Amino acid sequence: MLIKKLFRPIAFWLYKKVKYPGVIIEGDPRRVKIGSGTVISNRAILSVKHGGSITIADNCEVHIGVYLATYGGNIVIGNDCSFNPYCIVYGHGGLQVGNHVRVATQSVIVPANHVFMDASKRIGEQGLTKEGIYIGNDVWIGAGVKILDGVTIANGAVIAAGSVVNKSINDFEVHAGVPNKKITKRG
């Protein structure tokens, strides 16, 4: 009975905040802010259990299987963004996503990296870098793209499917490859 009394207000809050029930929120739901018109598919996971917060602005789409996990950092997503099925998005060092950003299926965005240069220590004992990632407005990230710590992707950029982004991208540049290289510029 006590569990029902405690769960009911949280369930009502979640139902009001998401278009479909079945969204999993790990951690304190008060650290998850979802804007109006945003649709989050069931079986998406929003995890703030290790601290930090998730803010998703208005008119966004978070599709099935998307995993947003703060790992102590903050994830801030602007207006009219879409994260297509099975994207993995972490927040360790902070992630800021502008407006009108499209992230295709199975992309991975990780604002952290393992320190590993000391061969006398295990990798897991050497800590992480947490520089953060910034993604500007009107960006298209193709399917299967991996974006690594410390990268800035400027406004209007396009990243081809399968690319590994380990260096920053300027306004309206189109990048492809492993690691990413500029192949052209929009306009």
Side-chain angles (χ1 to χ4, degrees):
M1 186 62 97
L2 178 61
I3 291 173
K4 267 189 180 177
K5 283 184 179 183
L6 293 173
F7 182 71
R8 210 172 274 155
I10 293 171
F12 179 73
W13 180 86
L14 289 174
Y15 182 77
K16 288 184 70 165
K17 291 290 185 183
V18 296
K19 178 96 176 167
Y20 304 105
V23 173
I24 299 166
I25 295 184
E26 299 175 338
D28 184 352
R30 294 172 296 184
R31 292 198 320 249
V32 177
K33 308 258 187 281
I34 300 169
S36 74
T38 290
V39 176
I40 301 178
S41 295
N42 62 353
R43 295 190 299 191
I45 300 171
L46 309 179
S47 178
V48 292
K49 69 182 177 183
H50 298 292
S53 66
I54 297 173
T55 303
I56 304 172
D58 299 337
N59 303 311
C60 294
E61 295 178 11
V62 177
H63 291 269
I64 189 169
V66 171
Y67 184 55
L68 301 174
T70 58
Y71 288 104
N74 297 316
I75 297 172
V76 179
I77 298 169
N79 295 309
D80 186 37
C81 294
S82 64
F83 288 82
N84 284 289
Y86 307 105
C87 290
I88 305 295
V89 180
Y90 293 159
H92 297 76
L95 171 64
Q96 185 171 348
V97 178
N99 300 315
H100 314 293
V101 173
R102 301 289 174 258
V103 182
T105 186
Q106 298 182 346
S107 292
V108 178
I109 303 172
V110 182
N113 199 358
H114 287 278
V115 176
F116 57 85
M117 291 308 291
D118 187 346
S120 68
K121 292 182 181 177
R122 290 188 296 247
I123 293 169
E125 296 172 343
Q126 296 183 53
L128 298 171
T129 63
K130 297 178 184 179
E131 297 176 31
I133 294 173
Y134 173 81
I135 300 172
N137 299 315
D138 189 32
V139 171
W140 177 24
I141 298 167
V145 168
K146 311 303 186 257
I147 301 175
L148 306 180
D149 192 27
V151 167
T152 295
I153 300 170
N155 296 330
V158 174
I159 304 167
S163 297
V164 175
V165 181
N166 67 350
K167 59 184 171 286
S168 294
I169 298 174
N170 296 319
D171 288 340
F172 300 103
E173 288 183 352
V174 178
H175 279 237
V178 179
N180 66 300
K181 293 180 191 161
K182 178 182 171 186
I183 56 172
T184 190
K185 190 161 182 168
R186 291 177 59 200

